[in-house]
Amino acid sequence: MVQLPWLLLLLPLATAALIHFALGGSGRLAAWTGTASAFGMLGLSVSLLVGATAEASPFVWLETGMFHPDLEQAITLSLKTDRLALSMMLVVTIVGALVHLFSLTYMAEDKARPRYYAGLSLFLFSMTGIVLAGNLFMMFIFWELVGLSSYLLIGHWFTKKSAAEASKKAFLTNRIGDFGFLVGILLIWGAFGTVDFNALERRVDLGNLPLTGGLLTAGILCLFAGAVGKSAQFPLHVWLPDAMEGPTPVSALIHAATMVAAGVYMLVRISFLIALDPTAAMTIAWIGGGTALLAALLATQQDDIKRVLAYSTLSQLGYMVMAVGLLASQAAYFHLFTHAFFKALLFLGAGAVIYCCHHEQNIWKMGGLAKRMPLTFATFAIGTACLIAVPYVTSGFYSKEAILDSAYAASRPLFWIAAFVALLTAFYMTRLVVVAFLGKARSQYARDAVEAPTPMAFALTCLTLLSIVGGFRFFAEAILPRGFYPTFDSPHHNFVMAVSIICLLAGVVASFLLYRGREKDPLHITPLRRGLYIDDLYTGLIRLFQDGAAAVAAAFDRHILNGFFLGGTAALTQAVGSVFRRMQPGSLHFYLVLAALGIMLLIWATSTV
Amino acid sequence: MTLEHYLIAAGILFCTGLFGMIVRRNILVIFMCLELILASATLTLVAFSRFRLTSGLPDIDAQMLVFFVITVAAAEVAVGLAIIVSLYRSTQSVHMEDLHTLKG
Amino acid sequence: MDSILFYLFALVMIAFGFGVVMNRNPVTSAMCLVGCFLGVAALFIMLDAFFIGVVQIAVYAGAVIVLFVFILMLLDIAGEKRREFPIHAIAIGLIVAVIVGGQIAMVAGSLDDVGGKFPPIDKAAAVEARVERGNNPDSTINTILTDPKKPSYPDVHIIGEALFTRYPLHLQIVAVLLTVGAVGVVVLSKKRLE
Amino acid sequence: MDLFTFLSSSVMVLVVFTIVLTLVPISVYLERRVSAVIQDRLGPNRVGLPLTLFGAKKDFHLFGLFQPAADGIKLFLKEDHTPAHVNKFYFILAPALVMVPALLSAAVIPFGSTMDMPFFEGRQVQLAVANVDIGPLLIFAIASLTVYGIVIAGWASNSRYPFLGGVRSSAQMISYEICLGLSIIPVLLYFGDLNLGRIADQQSRDGWLLLPIAFGGDGPVVDWRTLLLLPTLLIAFIIFTVSLFAETNRAPFDLPECETELVSGYHTEYSSMKFALFFMGEYAAMVVGSALIVTLFFGGWALPFGLDNLIRDPATGAFPWWASLMHMGVFLTKVIGFIVFFIWVRWTVPRFRYDQLMKLGWVVFFELALANILLAAILIAIFG
């Protein structure tokens, strides 16, 4: 009996193994195998969603001893194939398949294609594992695998120093979050005795929780720490802009559907836990809002086309996390869903631009691309429209409205922050489009650019369609879990919509007036360009603490440990040793006879009792 | 045949091995005697397994233990012989009385 | 018949065991070890442990002692001329061996008939117990157990089942151990690189 | 154990020994004739009955079929020289240690089907010495003892070339035993049984392992699950066969006795009947190996396409006595076919270098066999 969910999980792993072990010599074969497998996964997840039986029997991975009578003794690999997981799977596989397709041309010249495609397949495997995971342990395993595969992919061009540094940074930053996550999981396990989502939900429904007060807050925040790392929330957001060193399709995959989405997805999964504790929920909401604002501010001053998009991802993730914190996880998930399509579209569009401009990424060296790459421009513009939430015709509008609605209902300060972020979003995205696509070409590459090749164009077109219809009721309700599509029937809905449209217009107009026809950036705000010095702060902190701790440890080691304990103990040991040395004649036979005497004593002692 | 017969046979083998280990001076032969002792232990285990039927069949857990012991013993012999070879390389002898560097 | 075979194999085992201890030439000791292990394996088979018996031959006689012989040949260790059997060592060894042997005999004699005289294998009871534990009555092992044409009980199947259902973790640990052992041996026996 | 079982077992021992020992000179003869054909020569054709001595017109040659007898007589009558520098006891023991395991391991091979005894009503006899449940394991266990004979021969000869041959041989045999054991695990997984008799019986019902077509009661049947497994079984077959070449020290892996480098390896110092024992041991190992291949992969005594289903007694699964004898003939035909294959390879493939041999074993076959096991296990777990 073939169980489709397990097949869906193992297919990319098998592909990765096949490519890595068997197809290492042939880039073309590896590319087509990877792409075929990604489309196969897409087919599988569609068939699961439209009604193929999604039964997946759990598999006991290992059984532990009895730590405590209340704890589960088996660590089970089980798949949870509810509507949430399956809809997420659909997003992951659509974006994954299109990214594969896009890579066919984007990476055509690359020498290490087998490694690249093996990495992509591994990435899809890890993400599938997170999405389908039925319990926190299994999710953690794949959580780590996502970290590993992102490390491999961001550092794909590892001969470039910055790429190697970026992959290392992403990995290490994620470790901090993962540590918190692990602590959280253990806390939940210890208190509830189980980490299975279904069992946990049943336990929460029963009431009378084993975990209350500060500990509950701590547990939820520890779990949230995992999401902070993966979804790049403040203060662990620093890895994400640097991760742009990876190949652009990888950025599209990481930013749209896989790694950063994992954090939000996990929060949605455990939203029933977050709802238990208002303190933790509020903290989460404020971190999300803060990240959204911070990232939007930073995005206004970036020159690299991919970094602008990276900061915009951060800001949108901030939105989602904020929504989760405001106990509107349906809205958060809906935004995750729509955002996946148009952010993948934007990244792949940026990839097409970069590809056609011979790997030039600075927007001030582009310009006038609208005429030379009309299709790319059109799709990119639609993606931008989705991101800045042009009313009624774009998917981003519906999901963002849902979030703003819930923010207005739950917390006014956060609502105004979110509105301001919407304004900033409109501002920097308009800036990007105006500078890169309109005006005159500002470099030779931009003058020579031609339209993107067919597979890229195909991927872009598909994503454009999805970006538009993604927010429409008929489409989204067919895919999302029941009750996740917003109703827009709150009494303050009209006010919220008015605010958001005003913000949108203000941002677009301001940006258009400021950047139209410019040759250089008229604004130059150094703190924003340098990421508000957060990176420098971290470097300084690390240096301070590391050097300080090292100095203290060295002094302790030299004087107290070595001088007193070791010196004193050594003298004592030497004295005792000189006594006992006489009992060691160095003859194996002597020891053997002693051992035999021991055996005799043992038999004597046990047999006479 | 009763369990006693097998235990006594294994016991004799054990004592032979122990005697050899005490008497011999060649480290390789001592190692072989060690294997004799191990074999006697596995023999007792298998005998116990056969004579202690659990629901009609021999107690398979004891045989599993023997299986693992044999596996581990194979690894032990390989490592032990490698150590003896490097010992021989440095001292040019496998005679126990020449090997007393660890003497206190 | 069975007791004749038992005494025969036990004699083979113990005689060759003495051969290991008593021979001056280590190669002869090794060959005696082979004979001793063949005797042990035969006793295993008499105890209905076919698989363990065959593994004993294949692993010990087939591989482990070949290693011994290989090393003996490699180091070219001939029979030893000097100090091989010092009198005091023989005296101590005899005393120790006799005392331990006596103790073992006493312990073995004081067991009050564990299992009695070679209890017969009861395949029907085994199947019953397995079904009671929730095992499918038509599973492969059960059908083999109830097969009237089978002269002996399927110990390879049962060992395999136990190995992969009850001891998978142990199996993996042993696999890791063997890998580590292999790596260790390569490192140990490599000539030092200057 | 009743008298009938005792007698039938004793008779089987005699039959099997006779078969194996008869196959040895036959294969020596074949070796000479086939090599001659391959090298476009005539080969031995003159030894025969010297009828001209008694006034007849022509000698009686019969394709030189008497050559093996002449070889045998020559080996008997040569001087049995034992050099002075050897370790006598082991020098004499070694040839026996080569011969005995080869003959012992023939015990578990089913030479024919289960036979309804013609004069003992209701009695059936399996045409094998020992019908044990651990057949292949037992063969591997016993065959692994062959290496002692060679190592001891090399060591006891107390001379350079035999010693090198012995060392080479032990390393080679230990290495290839691993591939040999690993390679047939897919086959055993497929059968789910270690009893060679039942393995052969199953193939007589469902078609040979590598020719899974059987005409049962309901017309021709091709089992698609077996077809799916066929590639892995084929890989198993290839690894097993090649490893067997190395295990029996046959060309192209005959490095322990490679004459251009080692004179003639571990049996350099041997002559007369002791040498003949080595010689026979090698051929007997080849015969047993061929028999094992035939039993595992080519249906043993079974006719192809499940034709046996037509003559089998449906109630007991046994065969009438004439069918069993025919099966024995079928089995021997297949074995001789394989022996010819062994010989063919020897005279067409050049010898490997020692490092190439080790590399092939450890780097190629070992990994391939492991991957093959994994693949077969997955296929069987999903579809089986």
Side-chain angles (χ1 to χ4, degrees):
Chain A
M1 170 61 203
V2 180
Q3 294 183 328
L4 285 185
W6 283 111
L7 190 61
L8 177 61
L9 178 61
L10 293 179
L11 176 65
L13 178 64
T15 314
L18 178 70
I19 293 176
H20 184 76
F21 291 114
L23 304 178
S26 164
R28 180 183 294 268
L29 210 55
W32 284 106
T33 313
T35 312
S37 149
F39 275 94
M41 287 177 70
L42 175 58
L44 277 176
S45 55
V46 168
S47 66
L48 278 174
L49 195 69
V50 299
T53 167
E55 177 198 350
S57 33
F59 167 74
V60 175
W61 182 44
L62 62 86
E63 290 185 18
T64 59
M66 178 89 90
F67 290 131
H68 190 274
D70 295 342
L71 296 187
E72 277 178 337
Q73 284 173 50
I75 294 182
T76 314
L77 296 189
S78 60
L79 301 188
K80 187 171 161 83
T81 49
D82 59 352
R83 195 120 183 117
L84 183 66
L86 292 181
S87 57
M88 190 68 201
M89 260 338 286
L90 185 72
V91 175
V92 171
T93 49
I94 287 180
V95 175
L98 291 175
V99 162
H100 269 88
L101 190 65
F102 189 85
S103 305
L104 286 182
T105 37
Y106 192 85
M107 301 297 285
E109 311 285 308
D110 197 86
K111 290 231 169 39
R113 268 187 297 169
R115 182 158 53 80
Y116 174 76
Y117 283 98
L120 278 189
S121 291
L122 192 63
F123 210 142
L124 282 180
F125 166 64
S126 328
M127 191 60 200
T128 311
I130 289 185
V131 173
L132 294 181
N135 60 47
L136 282 169
F137 274 135
M138 181 171 167
M139 186 177 259
F140 184 75
I141 294 168
F142 286 96
W143 198 261
E144 295 297 318
L145 274 175
V146 163
L148 169 72
S149 34
S150 71
Y151 172 77
L152 294 175
L153 283 175
I154 294 171
H156 179 69
W157 290 314
F158 59 87
T159 46
K160 213 163 79 179
K161 189 161 185 295
S162 56
E165 295 279 335
S167 60
K168 201 163 69 188
K169 185 168 175 183
F171 195 70
L172 289 180
T173 316
N174 267 300
R175 302 292 324 142
I176 300 174
D178 293 349
F179 179 70
F181 191 33
L182 185 58
V183 172
I185 292 175
L186 292 178
L187 209 60
I188 296 290
W189 193 46
F192 286 86
T194 177
V195 288
D196 191 84
F197 292 127
N198 296 332
L200 276 177
E201 207 161 356
R202 273 198 303 278
R203 188 71 185 79
V204 168
D205 286 344
L206 279 179
N208 189 18
L209 298 173
L211 201 63
T212 47
L215 261 183
L216 182 63
T217 315
I220 294 171
L221 286 181
C222 279
L223 290 179
F224 174 61
V228 169
K230 275 282 173 296
S231 287
Q233 297 298 298
F234 178 82
L236 298 182
H237 65 282
V238 289
W239 65 268
L240 195 121
D242 287 12
M244 292 302 109
E245 290 295 342
T248 310
V250 172
S251 308
L253 195 60
I254 290 182
H255 287 254
T258 54
M259 188 158 168
V260 297
V264 178
Y265 177 78
M266 186 268 280
L267 289 179
V268 175
R269 258 276 180 257
I270 61 162
S271 55
F272 61 90
L273 278 178
I274 296 174
L276 294 177
D277 188 84
T279 323
M282 223 47 216
T283 317
I284 293 173
W286 275 99
I287 287 183
T291 311
L293 179 63
L294 173 76
L297 278 174
L298 297 183
T300 55
Q301 279 289 295
Q302 301 300 321
D303 291 339
D304 185 324
I305 183 166
K306 284 175 74 179
R307 287 183 92 92
V308 176
L309 294 177
Y311 278 113
S312 94
T313 306
L314 271 179
S315 148
Q316 299 302 311
L317 287 168
Y319 263 127
M320 299 173 206
V321 171
M322 181 181 85
V324 172
L326 297 174
L327 306 185
S329 56
Q330 289 88 344
Y333 183 70
F334 183 40
H335 195 52
L336 180 65
F337 176 73
T338 57
H339 175 255
F341 295 129
F342 60 72
K343 189 46 67 74
L345 168 63
L346 285 173
F347 264 106
L348 291 186
V353 169
I354 294 168
Y355 180 77
C356 297
C357 291
H358 297 262
H359 292 272
E360 179 55 62
Q361 301 195 2
N362 190 335
I363 52 174
W364 293 103
K365 295 200 176 146
M366 298 174 185
L369 292 176
K371 280 184 220 114
R372 287 175 194 83
M373 308 172 66
L375 182 83
T376 311
F377 171 63
T379 53
F380 198 89
I382 292 172
T384 308
C386 290
L387 180 56
I388 64 181
V390 171
Y392 293 116
V393 293
T394 60
S395 57
F397 171 71
Y398 293 100
S399 52
K400 199 178 269 189
E401 282 312 294
I403 291 183
L404 287 176
D405 258 3
S406 50
Y408 189 82
S411 163
R412 289 300 152 78
L414 277 175
F415 168 73
W416 289 113
I417 288 179
F420 184 56
V421 171
L423 186 150
L424 286 175
T425 310
F427 179 81
Y428 64 73
M429 283 313 289
T430 314
R431 166 179 180 262
L432 175 61
V433 172
V434 168
V435 172
F437 285 95
L438 304 180
K440 283 202 287 287
R442 284 179 293 270
S443 73
Q444 195 58 43
Y445 287 144
R447 271 187 283 280
D448 295 342
V450 290
E451 184 55 85
T454 320
M456 287 191 178
F458 177 74
L460 291 176
T461 317
C462 285
L463 282 171
T464 309
L465 287 178
L466 287 168
S467 306
I468 293 176
V469 299
F472 293 166
R473 182 180 288 274
F474 75 91
F475 183 77
E477 275 202 336
I479 293 171
L480 291 177
R482 233 170 298 289
F484 270 49
Y485 193 81
T487 49
F488 301 122
D489 54 0
S490 55
H492 46 74
H493 177 58
N494 287 337
F495 172 72
V496 170
M497 196 157 82
V499 169
S500 90
I501 292 175
I502 290 169
C503 286
L504 165 71
L505 288 177
V508 171
V509 170
S511 173
F512 204 71
L513 291 178
L514 190 57
Y515 285 103
R516 206 191 127 110
R518 298 286 182 143
E519 287 292 311
K520 273 193 344 222
D521 198 343
L523 289 177
H524 202 82
I525 309 168
T526 317
L528 290 187
R529 284 188 180 255
R530 303 212 44 188
L532 283 180
Y533 304 108
I534 293 175
D535 266 328
D536 303 279
L537 177 71
Y538 284 175
T539 318
L541 275 180
I542 289 168
R543 188 167 299 148
L544 184 69
F545 279 104
Q546 201 164 298
D547 288 1
V552 172
F556 181 77
D557 192 47
R558 190 164 303 135
H559 299 295
I560 299 182
L561 275 185
N562 196 23
F564 178 70
F565 284 108
L566 291 190
T569 328
L572 188 68
T573 317
Q574 246 170 6
V576 176
S578 64
V579 175
F580 280 107
R581 194 165 58 214
R582 300 189 196 290
M583 291 177 62
Q584 303 279 332
S587 150
L588 185 67
H589 295 96
F590 180 71
Y591 302 143
L592 264 173
V593 173
L594 283 185
L597 285 178
I599 294 173
M600 285 179 211
L601 280 177
L602 200 66
I603 298 179
W604 176 75
T606 49
S607 63
T608 51
V609 171
Chain B
M1 289 293 91
T2 64
L3 181 58
E4 247 176 68
H5 286 85
Y6 284 95
L7 291 188
I8 301 258
I12 296 177
L13 192 63
F14 182 88
C15 294
T16 314
L18 193 62
F19 175 68
M21 280 183 80
I22 293 175
V23 167
R24 296 301 297 254
R25 291 297 182 259
N26 183 328
I27 193 165
L28 279 157
V29 179
I30 291 179
F31 205 13
M32 289 179 207
C33 294
L34 200 65
E35 296 301 316
L36 283 185
I37 290 180
L38 212 53
S40 80
T42 53
L43 181 57
T44 53
L45 270 174
V46 175
F48 278 126
S49 133
R50 180 62 183 80
F51 281 88
R52 183 178 178 274
L53 295 187
T54 47
S55 62
L57 294 182
D59 185 2
I60 208 71
D61 289 335
Q63 295 196 19
M64 299 309 304
L65 189 52
V66 174
F67 177 78
F68 286 122
V69 164
I70 290 179
T71 323
V72 173
E76 168 241 42
V77 167
V79 175
L81 285 176
I83 292 174
I84 291 178
V85 167
S86 53
L87 196 68
Y88 185 78
R89 279 211 192 109
S90 62
T91 61
Q92 293 299 312
S93 166
V94 289
H95 203 276
M96 274 317 300
E97 278 159 18
D98 298 334
L99 307 172
H100 48 69
T101 320
L102 284 179
K103 191 173 178 174
Chain C
M1 183 71 190
D2 274 354
S3 64
I4 298 174
L5 282 179
F6 169 79
Y7 285 117
L8 176 69
F9 291 134
L11 193 69
V12 164
M13 174 181 91
I14 291 164
F16 276 116
F18 271 111
V20 174
V21 176
M22 293 306 177
N23 268 302
R24 211 170 261 281
N25 186 339
V27 175
T28 314
S29 287
M31 296 315 291
C32 286
L33 200 56
V34 177
C36 177
F37 283 160
L38 289 180
V40 173
L43 286 181
F44 284 170
I45 287 172
M46 284 193 64
L47 287 167
D48 290 323
F50 303 100
F51 180 73
I52 297 294
V54 168
V55 165
Q56 171 88 6
I57 298 181
V59 173
Y60 271 116
V64 166
I65 306 178
V66 173
L67 278 183
F68 270 107
V69 174
F70 203 75
I71 297 299
L72 286 170
M73 284 165 50
L74 205 68
L75 305 186
D76 198 18
I77 300 161
E80 299 189 25
K81 314 277 182 299
R82 50 167 192 167
R83 299 172 301 188
E84 183 51 55
F85 293 104
I87 295 291
H88 67 277
I90 292 179
I92 295 175
L94 266 182
I95 294 170
V96 167
V98 166
I99 294 179
V100 173
Q103 283 182 317
I104 291 176
M106 266 164 53
V107 172
S110 68
L111 293 177
D112 13 317
D113 276 339
V114 185
K117 292 189 83 178
F118 214 74
I121 288 176
D122 185 353
K123 291 198 264 186
V127 172
E128 213 168 273
R130 287 170 61 84
V131 172
E132 210 164 89
R133 277 203 305 271
N135 207 292
N136 177 13
D138 296 330
S139 78
T140 320
I141 293 179
N142 286 352
T143 47
I144 298 176
L145 271 169
T146 47
D147 185 357
K149 271 190 259 173
K150 295 274 299 187
S152 57
Y153 87 107
D155 89 317
V156 181
H157 286 93
I158 288 180
I159 284 186
E161 190 196 34
L163 200 57
F164 288 105
T165 56
R166 280 157 56 203
Y167 298 96
L169 186 66
H170 311 67
L171 189 69
Q172 291 171 45
I173 291 172
V174 164
V176 171
L177 180 86
L178 283 178
T179 315
V180 171
V183 173
V185 167
V186 170
V187 171
L188 269 177
S189 51
K190 216 168 70 177
K191 290 226 167 67
R192 293 276 176 279
L193 294 175
E194 299 303 325
Chain D
M1 184 187 283
D2 60 5
L3 190 64
F4 176 80
T5 322
F6 182 74
L7 279 181
S8 65
S9 297
S10 315
V11 171
M12 270 320 293
V13 171
L14 275 180
V15 168
V16 168
F17 269 36
T18 318
I19 289 177
V20 175
L21 290 179
T22 319
L23 276 174
V24 169
I26 292 179
S27 31
V28 175
Y29 172 74
L30 283 175
E31 179 104 51
R32 290 163 180 263
R33 293 295 288 198
V34 173
S35 68
V37 171
I38 287 172
Q39 295 170 344
D40 205 6
R41 299 185 277 115
L42 274 179
N45 63 350
R46 303 204 59 84
V47 183
L49 296 181
L51 293 181
T52 43
L53 282 182
F54 309 108
K57 284 251 168 59
K58 281 176 78 179
D59 284 347
F60 183 64
H61 293 315
L62 202 67
F63 315 111
L65 259 178
F66 290 92
Q67 180 71 37
D71 282 341
I73 292 168
K74 180 188 77 179
L75 284 170
F76 261 119
L77 297 183
K78 277 227 170 156
E79 184 196 353
D80 190 358
H81 176 70
T82 307
H85 54 79
V86 301
N87 185 329
K88 282 240 172 42
F89 176 69
Y90 286 114
F91 191 75
I92 297 169
L93 181 67
L97 282 183
V98 171
M99 189 69 199
V100 169
L103 288 179
L104 269 186
S105 50
V108 293
I109 289 178
F111 279 75
S113 49
T114 309
M115 172 158 85
D116 269 327
M117 287 302 287
F119 303 114
F120 300 86
E121 204 51 47
R123 288 281 195 174
Q124 276 131 26
V125 171
Q126 161 92 48
L127 293 185
V129 175
N131 183 21
V132 293
D133 286 340
I134 40 175
L137 286 182
L138 196 68
I139 291 185
F140 288 145
I142 294 175
S144 66
L145 300 180
T146 316
V147 70
Y148 287 112
I150 294 172
V151 171
I152 292 291
W155 176 76
S157 294
N158 202 6
S159 137
R160 285 274 179 277
Y161 293 125
F163 180 75
L164 285 175
V167 171
R168 277 187 178 189
S169 167
S170 53
Q172 171 178 338
M173 290 180 82
I174 292 183
S175 307
Y176 273 88
E177 247 165 45
I178 295 171
C179 305
L180 206 65
L182 287 179
S183 67
I184 65 158
I185 290 179
V187 179
L188 301 180
L189 281 179
Y190 171 76
F191 286 123
D193 202 339
L194 284 170
N195 184 312
L196 287 174
R198 279 201 292 278
I199 285 177
D201 195 56
Q202 194 177 334
Q203 293 183 77
S204 79
R205 291 169 200 269
D206 306 342
W208 301 353
L209 189 66
L210 293 183
L211 186 68
I213 305 169
F215 296 91
D218 320 323
V221 177
V222 181
D223 187 3
W224 63 272
R225 271 185 242 137
T226 318
L227 280 185
L228 202 67
L229 271 174
L230 208 54
T232 55
L233 298 177
L234 204 61
I235 294 174
F237 169 64
I238 292 168
I239 299 177
F240 187 76
T241 312
V242 178
S243 304
L244 205 65
F245 277 96
E247 275 293 289
T248 51
N249 294 327
R250 287 284 300 185
F253 302 129
D254 56 345
L255 290 142
E257 45 186 291
C258 145
E259 63 273 0
T260 44
E261 297 166 21
L262 298 179
V263 188
S264 63
Y266 53 85
H267 50 59
T268 305
E269 305 281 354
Y270 282 86
S271 59
S272 184
M273 211 44 214
K274 294 203 200 75
F275 172 76
L277 273 179
F278 277 119
F279 202 65
M280 283 160 70
E282 181 186 324
Y283 278 91
M286 190 167 95
V287 169
V288 173
S290 304
L292 190 56
I293 291 184
V294 165
T295 310
L296 285 176
F297 294 97
F298 290 95
W301 42 260
L303 292 170
F305 310 119
L307 292 177
D308 293 313
N309 290 331
L310 304 176
I311 40 177
R312 182 196 306 277
D313 178 352
T316 58
F319 289 93
W321 61 272
W322 52 269
S324 280
L325 292 184
M326 177 193 74
H327 283 148
M328 204 183 259
V330 170
F331 184 75
L332 291 181
T333 314
K334 290 182 197 172
V335 169
I336 289 179
F338 250 93
I339 290 173
V340 171
F341 171 69
F342 266 73
I343 292 165
W344 192 349
V345 169
R346 172 170 175 184
W347 294 101
T348 39
V349 182
R351 180 180 290 138
F352 277 50
R353 240 178 23 232
Y354 196 67
D355 59 317
Q356 290 171 332
L357 169 85
M358 281 300 174
K359 206 169 181 179
L360 184 72
W362 284 107
V363 179
V364 181
F365 281 170
F366 183 56
E367 279 80 356
L368 191 62
L370 279 183
N372 199 24
I373 293 172
L374 191 67
L375 185 64
I378 290 173
L379 285 178
I380 290 175
I382 295 180
F383 300 105

